[in-house]
Amino acid sequence: MTWLTDAVVGAGSPGSRLQIMGVVNVTPDSFSDGGRYLDVDDAIAHGFEMVADGADIVDIGGESTRPGAARVATTQELARVIPVIEALSAAGVRVSIDTMNADTARAAVAAGAAILNDVSGGLADERMAGVAAESGLPYIVSHWRGHSDKMSSRAQYTDAAHDVAGEVGARVDALLAQGVLPSQIVVDPGLGFSKNADHNWRILARLHELEALGFPVLVGASRKRFLGALLPEDAPMESRDLPTAVVSVLAAQAGAWGVRVHDVASTRLALDTLAAWQGGSDD
């Protein structure tokens, strides 16, 4: 079996292990950490810390995708992410590259990245499908309707859960037609991308509609605005880690393959608690 297939077998069933993807933003303007890991050495150290906390994958990104974020030149994105990928992958860490840029994705693969994570699902750069097909690596395909400066105006749905599943299915069909293999595909509902809080909660409550496409599902709710809405208005960003961990447990119970989080330790503890609970029913 491939790594992806091995990781997916039994996903969501009692005793199965949800994949934890830890987020490392090598950017000055991330909504979640305010550029804390822009320095390459700090980003590398944070990646190792996440592995120690229980991350299965470390996701490296060099371009913020928060609402209103400006695009980053490819040369700048590469300068941010490639040294981090090289250092972590050389130490045996399974690294994913979070990028919408085919040139960055190709360079990241050469540097040791083992997974491609494209929040645009190949729409931002039509060459991305070719890079994914050529690499043969797992390819995370997110629901996406436009870049950060346009996403809010496109949060219009008849039924968010149904519409997102349909649009992701169509995107996957287009990628398969371009040579990407079904065994490479992981799908992501793109929470927060052209979606308001009600849309996000509807999608999560009906995650089975996305799972019905037949591909592993990654949930990336970590520290997003719709979780912040559950907290006092002046609550610090880190206070969103508790609801994130709860979503991680619920995602595991709903059959998700993985979760993408900023605080690995809290999600690892929450999932270990779930596993202990489920293990209590064993004879």
Side-chain angles (χ1 to χ4, degrees), residues 10 31 36 38-39 80 91 107 140 142 154 171 204 207 224:
F31 81 92
R36 189 179 304 171
L38 178 60
D39 179 82
R80 291 173 177 176
I140 300 169
S142 295
R154 296 179 178 177
R171 185 88 285 268
L204 287 171
L207 203 61
K224 292 198 172 178

Side-chain angles (χ1 to χ4, degrees), residues 110-157:
I115 304 170
L116 305 177
N117 181 17
D118 178 5
V119 298
S120 81
L123 287 171
D125 189 335
E126 62 184 10
R127 301 171 300 156
M128 188 68 85
V131 174
E134 179 183 325
S135 73
L137 296 176
Y139 181 37
I140 300 169
V141 180
S142 295
H143 177 264
W144 191 79
R145 285 184 168 181
H147 287 290
S148 297
D149 60 339
K150 300 176 181 177
M151 66 169 67
S152 296
S153 65
R154 296 179 178 177
Q156 305 291 330
Y157 301 90

Side-chain angles (χ1 to χ4, degrees), residues 44-277:
I44 293 169
H46 189 50
F48 284 126
E49 180 183 10
M50 287 186 154
V51 172
D53 285 342
D56 302 288
I57 304 157
V58 176
D59 191 43
I60 310 298
E63 177 178 2
S64 175
T65 53
R66 63 175 176 77
R71 296 303 311 276
V72 171
T74 302
T75 52
Q76 189 173 38
E77 186 182 20
L78 289 169
R80 291 173 177 176
V81 302
I82 295 302
V84 183
I85 294 170
E86 288 177 338
L88 293 177
S89 61
V93 176
R94 186 169 294 279
V95 174
S96 61
I97 174 63
D98 175 8
T99 185
M100 296 180 282
N101 187 310
D103 291 332
T104 300
R106 183 176 288 106
V109 173
I115 304 170
L116 305 177
N117 181 17
D118 178 5
V119 298
S120 81
L123 287 171
D125 189 335
E126 62 184 10
R127 301 171 300 156
M128 188 68 85
V131 174
E134 179 183 325
S135 73
L137 296 176
Y139 181 37
I140 300 169
V141 180
S142 295
H143 177 264
W144 191 79
R145 285 184 168 181
H147 287 290
S148 297
D149 60 339
K150 300 176 181 177
M151 66 169 67
S152 296
S153 65
R154 296 179 178 177
Q156 305 291 330
Y157 301 90
T158 301
D159 180 331
H162 177 79
D163 295 350
V164 165
E167 290 176 28
V168 171
R171 185 88 285 268
V172 169
D173 287 344
L175 293 166
L176 297 179
Q178 296 176 76
V180 179
L181 299 176
S183 60
Q184 293 179 249
I185 299 290
V186 175
V187 296
D188 181 335
L191 299 174
F193 290 89
S194 299
K195 300 167 189 72
N196 62 31
D198 288 342
H199 298 146
N200 293 327
W201 289 121
R202 184 175 294 271
I203 290 164
L204 287 171
R206 290 160 54 191
L207 203 61
H208 61 275
E209 296 192 25
L210 190 61
E211 292 169 347
L213 296 175
F215 301 98
V217 174
L218 175 70
V219 173
S222 184
R223 294 185 178 177
K224 292 198 172 178
R225 186 179 303 173
F226 76 105
L227 297 183
L230 302 172
L231 301 164
E233 189 172 344
D234 59 349
M237 184 62 68
E238 289 76 10
S239 64
R240 299 182 186 185
D241 292 333
L242 176 56
T244 296
V246 174
V247 169
S248 295
V249 168
L250 294 172
Q253 292 181 308
W257 162 79
V259 289
R260 183 177 182 272
V261 302
H262 296 84
D263 182 61
V264 171
S266 60
T267 280
R268 177 76 273 151
L269 179 58
L271 292 173
D272 288 346
T273 304
L274 172 63
W277 178 299

